[in-house]
């Protein structure tokens, strides 16, 4: 029971790290970034490379997010910035193009096989928590996700950058009239989202095989989280990630054959009945 | 300070401004009146850098601005209070003011958040409320306060008293007096000259995207009745819009 809960929470943290980036990118850029899963994958591959070269997992935790943040900034400036005034379909197509190109680049550099990295020594093993033995790495994953989530929350709620972000989500033209270059803010947001995705990819690397296409499965779950939470709503994304993570973990344990079907049924019902998301309230504020 | 010369501007294929010229210097209060759709708001959008000119020039301190953007106009000291106020709904009153200090960290013109709270005590009482919870009058005060924290040399006000209770109008007028005392220039757009009459140093009337009349305070006072009837009669003979 406790073990299942811990696994559910760790899935929720991964989903939150990815969905948070996806949802702030949508809120700020108006772009639904299908390439988000590819940035997660690239983060995983860079982590593998850093660990293979240096043997230092902690270094990869720093290098992969920063490298992917820089890559994301470049992608935004070169490929998305020229499209903001055009139809949403063209932006969608562009993010699809980014998936195809980055998948191909990764295949060329690292090949089609899968890669893995060992659990860092200090985080291997299991410790007893209540009635179960729980993998230490799962606890680390939850802790790292919590720290990143709280950091993101603090950034958005308590810094001037966060004030600008929240302002620009609803009235970008007015933010420009206050002397703040909104195009730079968009680049920062895209880089931040890409960095969070790469952080998720790095944290996942000791647990799952790192391979081309790994971003696809998880991105579908992330879109479910973003839709359940309400597009552009970070607090909603936290709640929806917890919900989906726990459903996945407990479903796997108790009714594995129903889990996919019921998830997508819930998604469809929410889209038809509450398209604004389960956790967006007309009077409530979006953060 | 800021001069618009022979400006033509369009929304898509529809021409909204025809050969419009306007100017305001330090301490000037230019009142710009006209009916709905006369082009007043469009002229302010051009001055705020939100709409590009098709022809004509925008000059600041004698220099022609090649490609004015809203960011550039803000850094030059032109602050904009749009007609729909554009208060940030998901920011608190205080955050709606703090956001102006991001690009304008130094109170070069002497405006601080505390001074804005002194000017509009109601905002201080409501400082924790979110933008979306404010009344129209509170939103207007907030939009003006936010513009003041950009330390303006020229303030663009688009219908600042529209739809406000008389007591709020009085507060806004008082604020404008204080801003003028700072030697900042103001361009104030209204449907008529009722509110700006006592404040303005020059007057312009717009109709169908053109300047229909303009004059100094003395010229306005001399021709007050004619200007009034011009304003009330405008558009009644339904001139066709040139394309």
């Amino acid at each position: 029971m406790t073990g299942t809960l811990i696994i559910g929470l760790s899935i929720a943290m991964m989903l939150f790290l990815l969905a948070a980036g996806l949802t702030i990118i949508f809120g700020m850029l108006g772009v639904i970034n299908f390439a988000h899963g590819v940035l997660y994958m690239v983060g995983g591959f860079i982590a593998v490379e850093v660990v293979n070269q240096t043997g230092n997992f902690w270094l990869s935790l720093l290098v992969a997010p920063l490298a992917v943040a820089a890559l994301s900034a470049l992608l935004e400036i070169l490929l998305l910035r020229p499209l903001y005034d055009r139809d949403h379909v063209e932006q969608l197509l562009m993010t699809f193009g980014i998936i195809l190109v980055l998948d191909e680049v990764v295949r060329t550099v690292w090949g089609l096989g899968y890669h893995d990295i060992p659990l860092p020594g200090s985080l291997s093993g299991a410790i007893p928590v209540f009635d179960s033995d729980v993998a230490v790495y799962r606890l680390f994953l939850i802790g790292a996700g919590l720290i990143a989530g709280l950091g993101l929350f603090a950034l958005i709620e308590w810094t001037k950058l966060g004030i600008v972000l929240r302002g620009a989500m609803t009235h970008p033209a007015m933010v420009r009239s206050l002397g703040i270059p909104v195009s730079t803010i968009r680049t920062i947001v895209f880089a931040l989202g890409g960095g969070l995705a790469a952080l998720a990819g790095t944290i996942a690397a000791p647990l799952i095989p790192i391979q081309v296409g790994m971003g696809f499965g998880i991105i579908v779950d992330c879109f479910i989280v973003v839709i359940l939470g309400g597009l552009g709503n970070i607090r909603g994304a936290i709640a929806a990630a917890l919900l989906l993570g726990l459903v996945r973990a407990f479903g796997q344990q108790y009714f594995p054959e129903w889990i996919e079907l019921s998830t997508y049924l819930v998604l469809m019902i929410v889209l038809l009945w509450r398209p604004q998301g389960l956790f967006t309230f007309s009077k409530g504020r979006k953060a | 300070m800021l001069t618009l010369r022979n400006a033509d501007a369009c929304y898509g294929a529809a021409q909204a401004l025809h050969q419009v010229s306007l100017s305001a210097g330090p301490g000037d209060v230019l009142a710009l009146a006209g009916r709905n759709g006369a082009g007043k708001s469009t002229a302010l959008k051009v001055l705020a850098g939100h709409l590009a000119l098709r022809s004509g020039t925008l000059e600041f301190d004698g220099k022609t601005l090649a490609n004015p953007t809203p960011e550039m106009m803000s850094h030059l000291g032109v602050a904009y209070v749009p007609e729909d106020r554009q208060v940030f709904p998901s920011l608190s009153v205080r955050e709606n003011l703090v956001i102006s200090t991001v690009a304008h960290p130094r109170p070069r013109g002497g405006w601080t958040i505390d001074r804005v709270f002194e000017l509009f005590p109601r905002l201080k009482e409501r400082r924790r409320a979110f933008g979306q919870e404010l009344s129209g009058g509170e939103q207007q005060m907030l939009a003006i306060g936010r513009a003041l924290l950009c330390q303006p040399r020229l303030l663009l006000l688009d219908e600042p008293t529209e739809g406000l209770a008389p007591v709020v109008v009085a507060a806004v007028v008082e604020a404008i007096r204080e801003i003028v005392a700072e030697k900042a220039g103001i361009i104030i757009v209204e449907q008529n000259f009722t509110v700006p009459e006592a404040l303005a140093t020059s007057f312009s009337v717009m109709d169908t995207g053109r300047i229909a009349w303009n004059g100094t305070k003395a010229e306005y006072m001399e021709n007050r009745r004619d200007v009034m009837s011009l304003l009330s009669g405008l558009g009644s003979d339904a001139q066709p819009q040139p394309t």
Side-chain angles (χ1 to χ4, degrees), chain A residues 157 160 162-164 166-168 170-183 282-286, chain B residues 48 50 69-71 74-75 80 82 86-91 95 98-104 130 132 146 150:
Chain A
E157 289 293 317
K160 283 192 173 182
I163 292 176
V164 171
R166 281 182 283 141
T170 52
H171 294 82
M174 194 63 226
V175 170
R176 296 185 67 192
S177 262
L178 302 175
I180 301 163
V182 167
S183 57
S282 53
K283 262 298 191 188
R285 59 187 292 223
K286 284 183 173 184
Chain B
H50 283 291
T69 62
E71 292 93 330
S74 176
H75 284 287
Y80 179 42
Q86 302 234 358
V87 162
F88 301 111
S90 55
L91 299 187
E95 288 171 333
V98 168
I99 193 170
S100 289
T101 67
V102 173
H104 304 278
F130 285 100
Q132 63 196 3
R146 183 178 63 186
C150 292

Side-chain angles (χ1 to χ4, degrees), chain B residues 22-231:
Chain B
L22 293 170
S23 183
D28 289 350
V29 178
L30 168 63
L32 183 59
R35 299 195 156 194
N36 275 333
K40 316 178 299 285
S41 293
T42 307
L44 281 201
K45 275 189 191 137
V46 166
L47 297 177
H50 283 291
L51 185 65
L53 290 178
R54 170 169 285 189
S55 67
T57 55
L58 182 60
E59 296 161 26
F60 191 85
D61 286 344
K63 275 182 228 105
T64 300
L65 305 172
N67 271 310
T69 62
E71 292 93 330
M72 183 197 294
M73 297 316 291
S74 176
H75 284 287
L76 287 172
V78 178
Y80 179 42
V81 179
E83 188 178 7
D84 56 358
R85 292 148 194 168
Q86 302 234 358
V87 162
F88 301 111
S90 55
L91 299 187
S92 71
V93 165
R94 202 186 159 77
E95 288 171 333
N96 263 284
L97 297 172
V98 168
I99 193 170
S100 289
T101 67
V102 173
H104 304 278
R106 260 183 297 270
R108 125 188 110 179
W111 287 99
T112 60
I113 292 180
D114 284 341
R115 235 188 108 196
V116 169
F117 282 159
E118 259 171 54
L119 185 63
F120 298 119
R122 179 68 186 150
L123 291 183
K124 189 172 186 180
E125 290 166 26
R126 299 280 276 153
R127 64 190 176 278
R128 283 182 229 287
F130 285 100
Q132 63 196 3
E133 299 163 1
L134 301 183
S135 70
E138 291 166 342
Q139 285 189 24
Q140 190 62 58
M141 292 185 248
L142 186 54
I144 294 175
R146 183 178 63 186
L148 292 178
L149 286 165
C150 292
Q151 318 299 337
R153 293 177 61 196
L154 178 69
L155 188 60
L156 309 175
L157 295 170
D158 198 346
E159 303 206 24
T161 64
E162 183 196 19
L164 299 188
V167 61
V168 186
V169 172
V172 169
V173 168
E174 202 44 54
I176 292 172
R177 285 187 202 282
E178 189 158 333
I179 297 157
V180 174
E182 301 272 323
K183 290 289 164 217
I186 294 184
I187 299 180
I188 177 170
V189 160
E190 289 283 359
Q191 302 263 348
N192 53 55
F193 289 132
T194 314
V195 171
E197 190 165 64
L199 300 162
T201 56
S202 58
F203 296 79
S204 291
V205 177
M206 283 190 81
D207 185 37
T208 59
R210 295 173 178 78
I211 299 289
W213 186 87
N214 71 72
T216 62
K217 172 119 192 168
E219 286 164 338
Y220 170 75
M221 293 317 277
E222 209 168 292
N223 301 293
R224 190 166 175 269
R225 187 162 298 176
D226 293 341
V227 176
M228 290 290 204
S229 63
L230 177 65
L231 258 175

Side-chain angles (χ1 to χ4, degrees), chain A residues 66-85:
Chain A
L66 288 179
V68 173
L71 170 70
S72 305
L74 210 62
L75 291 172
E76 192 276 336
I77 292 169
L78 294 178
L79 302 177
L80 291 174
R81 190 177 284 183
L83 300 183
Y84 291 132
D85 294 333

Side-chain angles (χ1 to χ4, degrees), chain A residues 12-25 36 152 196-197 219 221-227 232-234 237-238 240-241:
Chain A
M13 282 306 162
M14 299 295 297
L15 290 177
F16 169 67
L17 286 181
L18 286 159
L22 209 52
T23 207
I24 56 172
I25 286 170
H36 211 63
L152 184 66
L196 284 173
I219 205 65
D221 274 5
C222 287
F223 275 113
I224 295 175
V225 166
V226 168
I227 290 165
N233 181 347
I234 287 183
I238 297 175

Side-chain angles (χ1 to χ4, degrees), chain A residues 174-258:
Chain A
M174 194 63 226
V175 170
R176 296 185 67 192
S177 262
L178 302 175
I180 301 163
V182 167
S183 57
T184 309
I185 301 296
R186 289 195 177 114
T187 307
I188 291 172
V189 164
F190 201 76
L192 182 68
L196 284 173
L199 179 67
T202 307
I203 294 175
L207 290 180
I208 59 168
I210 300 299
Q211 57 188 332
V212 173
M214 68 182 265
F216 188 75
I218 197 153
I219 205 65
V220 174
D221 274 5
C222 287
F223 275 113
I224 295 175
V225 166
V226 168
I227 290 165
L228 292 183
L231 273 168
N233 181 347
I234 287 183
R235 289 170 199 218
I238 297 175
L242 279 174
L243 181 69
L244 188 60
L246 292 175
V247 166
R248 287 264 142 159
F250 281 95
Q252 208 62 46
Q253 189 80 356
Y254 300 109
F255 45 96
E257 63 273 31
W258 291 101

Side-chain angles (χ1 to χ4, degrees), chain A residues 37-152:
Chain A
V38 172
L39 298 174
Y40 162 80
M41 172 193 75
V42 171
F45 272 100
I46 292 176
V48 166
E49 196 62 33
V50 171
V51 171
N52 284 346
Q53 299 289 333
T54 68
N56 190 336
F57 174 72
W58 305 103
L59 187 65
S60 71
L61 218 46
L62 192 69
V63 171
L66 288 179
V68 173
L71 170 70
S72 305
L74 210 62
L75 291 172
E76 192 276 336
I77 292 169
L78 294 178
L79 302 177
L80 291 174
R81 190 177 284 183
L83 300 183
Y84 291 132
D85 294 333
R86 307 233 206 118
D87 201 76
H88 281 305
V89 175
E90 296 188 34
Q91 299 157 10
L92 280 185
L93 287 176
M94 180 57 87
T95 65
F96 259 122
I98 294 172
I99 296 179
L100 298 176
V101 170
L102 285 184
D103 263 351
E104 210 51 44
V105 168
V106 166
R107 188 178 319 211
T108 309
V109 176
W110 284 288
L112 264 179
Y114 65 84
H115 303 252
D116 54 11
I117 55 178
L119 279 175
S122 50
L123 298 175
S124 55
I127 52 168
V129 178
F130 300 111
D131 55 343
S132 329
D133 280 345
V134 172
V136 173
Y137 195 79
R138 290 274 177 193
L139 295 177
F140 163 76
L141 202 160
I142 294 170
L146 270 179
I147 290 169
L150 286 175
L152 184 66

